[in-house]
Amino acid sequence: MSADLHPRSGSPEPGAADVTTELAERAALTSGSSTWHTTAAVGVPLLVLADGPHGVRRQRGGGDALGIGTSVPATCFPPAVGLGATWDVDLLRRVGAALGAEARALDVDVLLAPGMNIKRSPLNGRNFEYLSEDPFLTGRLAAAMVEGIQSAGVAACIKHFAVNNQETDRMRVSADVDDRALREVYLAAFEHVVRTARPWMVMSAYNRVNGVPASEHPWLLTEVLRDEWGYDGVVVSDWGAVEDRVAAVRAGLDLEMPPSGTDERIVAAVTAGELDEAVLDRVADRMARLAERVRATAPARPEGWVEGSASDDDLADMRAAHHALAREAATASVVLLKNDGRLLPLDRAAGQSVAVVGELARTPRFQGGGSSRVVPTRLSSALDALSGRLGDRLRFAAGYTLDGTPSRELVDEAVATARDADVAVVFLGLPEAAESEGFDRTTIDLPDDQLALLSAVAEVAPEVVVVLSNGGVVSVSPWQDRAGAVLEGWLLGQAGGEAVADLLLGDAAPSGRLAEAIPLRLADHPSHLHFPGRDGTVTYGEGTYVGYRQLDTLDVPVAYPFGHGLTYTTFAYSDPRVTACGENAWEISWTVTNTGPRAGREVAQLYVGRQEDRPTRPRVQLAGFASVALEPGASQRVALPLRARDLSTWDAAHRRWSLAAGTYDVRMGASSRDVRLVATVETGGDRFLPPLTRMSTIGEWRADPAGSEVLSALLGRFAAAAGRGTVAPELLRMLDDFPLVKLRTFRLGLTEEVIDGLVEQVAAEHRRLVDSGRYRSS
């Protein structure tokens, strides 16, 4: 850290008053100066923060403290629920760069984006802000977004760290999750982003993790994030999350936002010796480093440019380009769930008359409620976009009200409009009151009045297309047989109306893929019996079997599987190859060919699972994906890396990633269940020798290359004591669960001294095996 940013030496010996003042200034760095500003102190400049998972929410001067709904207009990109469905790393990097550029133009230093919590339950009211139920997909997409944002010299802030998967009681609830699920599911995406994209800020979550508030969690914020993953940036609290200021700073939280006005507690704790003063030095170093990064990596400004001087023309040009990018992103977000008889795209050349039904076509729901709400620079509706292209061939009927008030008149009008058309395009979805930050849903069903409207329209319309607008998964199985085609439109940002029109009319082809499985029933979902908990605790009883990982492991029927998405062409997979690239490393490759009539984009997906009679891990787990754009008849070779980590599980007993020996299936396909090619890889595992102790079981001793030899004589004595030549198989199975030390009472000569000797003997043999290179100790 440069001395001019944080001078702490080289000055005359300070007096007591000077020391107290300097301590207070350093303590002031641990909280903001206002809702959206850090504190300038001890040479560290003030920084501006803004919300922005899908758009820059820069508060206007003089507005309310949070600025929700009154922020400066900015491009509203599709929320994460849409961006996650793109499965497009390059697109998210470009969206991130656009967000960073707008933040820079609006004098924002830190953008609170991306949100990357796992979609544990479809009921989470904030799922629209998150990317996927899968940590591999979440990590790759979030890393690209971070890289894009920071390329503009703006700090990305990944959130919410960690295990923040519901809104119910979010300020207090303890997410109780076992170590393996924590590592493999809820921390894995954060780990990937921290290690690869190096974000400059991390936001801690509201909730507790196994009883400890996330903002005061030394294991989470220091041991894992900093010591293990090597994170060197700033940790900021979620707004209003901190309960104990001193405990939070001690645990590794650098910045409380917004300020609670309790900096004197930090000063008092240091003065009383309850908080090491060196902790404040580390906070100052990190805040100074953040300021240096923002200033050092900001793109060059035009000559004569000063803060806040971006011209209206410059902003207009930027916003026009970003609206086009928002349209591209919205188009890529939409998932074509079904398309019976190739109903879509609509045939404009045939002169089809089209009935557009549903208030959501005219009044689009393009983003979620709460702190992420952006004031868009412009807004398109699907009705306007379709009307401009179809002219007098289009008729519109609202069909329902957005507040759910039943209206027989609106239904009758919609039925009459649909009866006279060749095709009815029905817009259905969740009203804003049904899902938002701050509360969870209780159902995944669409509103009853909308379903009644669909039934009435389907009775008279020759063809029916449904377009959905929703931030969280909705059930489709009760009604989708009434529609020939279904487009899952999520929430698509300010250009969503144009994107939907492009897809319906064939000016673009769908390319989105589900980033979460759609269950037949809410009761089928792995989280159903455990969400949202009670009495201040939510138990993550499904463990690592989150979403499709359990549904596919148990072969539970689903409406649509993870990774599913159709388009207006078809693709074939061929020629799979597995190439070894070193120890426990492979390249998996195959050819994708466009076998249909028009250009399209395929998302080729790679899944892995261990061959085992009884599952000890998910049988299907995403390990790679590639976006492939092909003209009709064209082919492209896909090659994806497969590494030891992709096959590993977390060994909680030894606190390490463990690669088990065995055969692993490698599945290549268009979804987790649409598998086109299968290959296998063999591995001898990581050859880890776990230490054997007095409390290690007989089974663990028998499975160990050294322990099995040591035990052979012991088991012989056990058999002799029972009057047998060998230990009976059923007795051996029972003994396998006995810790070695527990056999000392069975009159086999196993004294405490003998047991300690066996442990020392095995430890020596382990050292010899490790020194020989045959095994590893870590």
Side-chain angles (χ1 to χ4, degrees), residues 36 57-67 69-73 375:
W36 299 109
R57 192 168 67 80
R58 177 73 150 95
Q59 182 185 0
R60 292 182 184 275
D64 64 272
L66 292 178
T70 62
S71 54
V72 177
V375 176

Side-chain angles (χ1 to χ4, degrees), residues 160-334:
H160 309 87
F161 191 64
V163 205
N164 180 234
N165 309 106
Q166 66 186 64
E167 294 298 282
T168 300
D169 201 22
R170 64 174 177 167
M171 294 282 194
R172 303 179 305 173
V173 71
S174 176
D176 289 2
V177 54
D178 66 78
D179 283 350
R180 185 171 162 192
L182 192 60
R183 290 287 189 158
E184 294 183 26
V185 179
Y186 299 102
L187 296 185
F190 284 102
E191 179 184 1
H192 176 80
V193 175
V194 168
R195 290 186 183 274
T196 62
R198 316 301 298 181
W200 299 339
M201 184 174 279
V202 171
M203 181 187 292
S204 61
Y206 283 126
N207 53 281
R208 288 166 163 77
V209 180
N210 292 326
V212 181
S215 294
E216 302 164 20
H217 208 305
W219 178 82
L220 195 64
L221 302 185
T222 295
E223 292 182 39
V224 173
L225 180 62
R226 297 191 187 280
D227 298 343
E228 186 178 326
W229 297 349
Y231 179 66
D232 65 354
V234 168
V235 176
V236 63
S237 73
D238 204 342
W239 266 231
V242 177
E243 299 175 25
D244 184 328
R245 288 290 313 282
V246 175
V249 172
R250 185 186 294 117
L253 186 84
D254 300 301
L255 179 62
E256 179 204 37
M257 292 296 290
S260 58
T262 56
D263 292 344
E264 72 278 0
R265 297 180 186 175
I266 305 298
V267 174
V270 172
T271 303
E274 298 170 0
L275 180 67
D276 189 343
E277 189 172 352
V279 172
L280 296 188
D281 294 341
R282 289 194 290 270
V283 171
D285 285 341
R286 292 164 186 159
M287 295 299 296
R289 186 182 300 118
L290 174 61
E292 288 176 337
R293 283 169 166 168
V294 169
R295 301 294 187 261
T297 58
R301 301 296 191 183
E303 185 176 351
W305 188 94
V306 295
E307 290 290 333
S309 69
S311 70
D312 291 341
D313 288 343
D314 290 339
L315 287 175
D317 290 344
M318 174 186 292
R319 287 169 174 168
H322 289 177
H323 183 81
L325 179 59
R327 181 173 179 173
E328 179 188 349
T331 304
S333 299
V334 176

Side-chain angles (χ1 to χ4, degrees), residues 604-669:
Q605 301 162 40
L606 176 68
Y607 296 88
V608 297
R610 188 183 180 201
Q611 290 185 3
E612 49 187 354
D613 294 333
R614 180 180 179 184
T616 61
R617 58 203 288 162
R619 291 192 187 276
V620 179
Q621 192 168 310
L622 184 68
F625 61 94
S627 176
V628 183
L630 293 171
E631 295 294 323
S635 297
Q636 182 174 321
R637 193 78 183 163
V638 171
L640 296 173
L642 186 64
R643 300 293 181 258
R645 175 66 181 267
D646 301 319
L647 305 179
S648 297
T649 57
W650 180 256
D651 177 357
H654 302 100
R655 304 184 61 79
R656 62 182 294 276
W657 288 98
S658 172
L659 176 59
T663 302
Y664 292 78
D665 289 323
V666 179
R667 300 177 176 92
M668 295 145 270

Side-chain angles (χ1 to χ4, degrees), residues 344-615:
L344 292 179
L346 301 178
D347 189 351
R348 275 188 284 182
Q352 288 176 309
S353 58
V354 178
V356 173
V357 176
E359 183 58 46
L360 285 166
R362 179 170 60 183
T363 309
R365 183 161 175 256
F366 59 98
Q367 62 180 327
S371 62
S372 67
R373 184 184 297 278
V374 175
V375 176
T377 59
R378 66 175 88 168
L379 180 62
S380 69
S381 74
L383 179 60
D384 287 342
L386 289 168
S387 297
R389 302 184 212 182
L390 295 177
D392 58 10
R393 286 189 288 141
L394 182 148
R395 294 288 183 271
F396 170 72
Y400 54 82
T401 62
L402 292 179
D403 64 5
T405 303
S407 173
R408 185 71 253 175
E409 181 181 353
L410 290 179
V411 173
D412 290 344
E413 179 190 11
V415 169
T417 302
R419 181 183 288 112
D420 295 335
D422 294 318
V423 59
V425 181
V426 184
F427 285 75
L428 306 175
L430 297 178
E432 189 167 304
E435 57 179 350
S436 170
E437 178 184 358
F439 59 87
D440 292 319
R441 293 193 288 162
T442 58
T443 177
I444 59 172
D445 294 334
L446 288 172
D448 289 340
D449 61 324
Q450 294 187 26
L451 294 179
L453 169 70
L454 175 62
S455 295
V457 168
E459 289 291 327
V460 300
E463 300 285 0
V464 175
V465 176
V466 169
V467 179
L468 294 171
S469 298
N470 45 283
V473 160
V474 296
S475 177
V476 299
S477 53
W479 54 262
Q480 68 170 343
D481 59 340
R482 298 173 192 142
V486 179
L487 282 171
E488 174 51 272
W490 311 116
L491 306 178
L492 295 176
Q494 68 181 51
E498 298 157 275
V500 168
D502 289 341
L503 294 167
L504 290 172
L505 300 178
D507 295 327
S511 61
R513 300 294 186 270
L514 290 177
E516 52 195 309
I518 302 179
L520 286 176
R521 308 175 306 154
L522 179 59
D524 293 333
H525 200 273
S527 65
H528 181 61
L529 294 178
H530 308 285
F531 184 93
R534 59 179 297 175
D535 301 326
T537 298
V538 54
T539 301
Y540 285 48
E542 67 280 2
T544 61
Y545 295 91
V546 175
Y548 80 96
R549 294 180 176 208
Q550 181 176 118
L551 295 169
D552 289 1
T553 296
L554 299 181
D555 201 24
V556 176
V558 296
Y560 293 102
F562 179 82
H564 170 78
L566 305 176
T567 187
Y568 298 152
T569 190
T570 55
F571 296 94
Y573 290 43
S574 62
D575 192 20
R577 298 178 191 173
V578 176
T579 305
C581 303
E583 185 180 14
N584 295 323
W586 304 266
E587 180 184 83
I588 313 299
S589 63
W590 68 98
T591 298
V592 178
T593 303
N594 185 340
T595 56
R598 61 175 288 169
R601 172 178 168 265
E602 174 71 326
V603 178
Q605 301 162 40
L606 176 68
Y607 296 88
V608 297
R610 188 183 180 201
Q611 290 185 3
E612 49 187 354
D613 294 333
R614 180 180 179 184

Side-chain angles (χ1 to χ4, degrees), residues 737-748:
D737 278 337
F738 268 65
L740 176 63
V741 70
K742 298 296 184 181
L743 296 184
R744 68 185 185 277
T745 61
F746 284 82
R747 299 184 180 181
L748 300 174

Side-chain angles (χ1 to χ4, degrees), residues 92-105:
L92 265 77
R93 187 175 290 109
R94 289 188 287 129
V95 169
L99 288 168
E102 287 201 27
R104 176 56 55 196

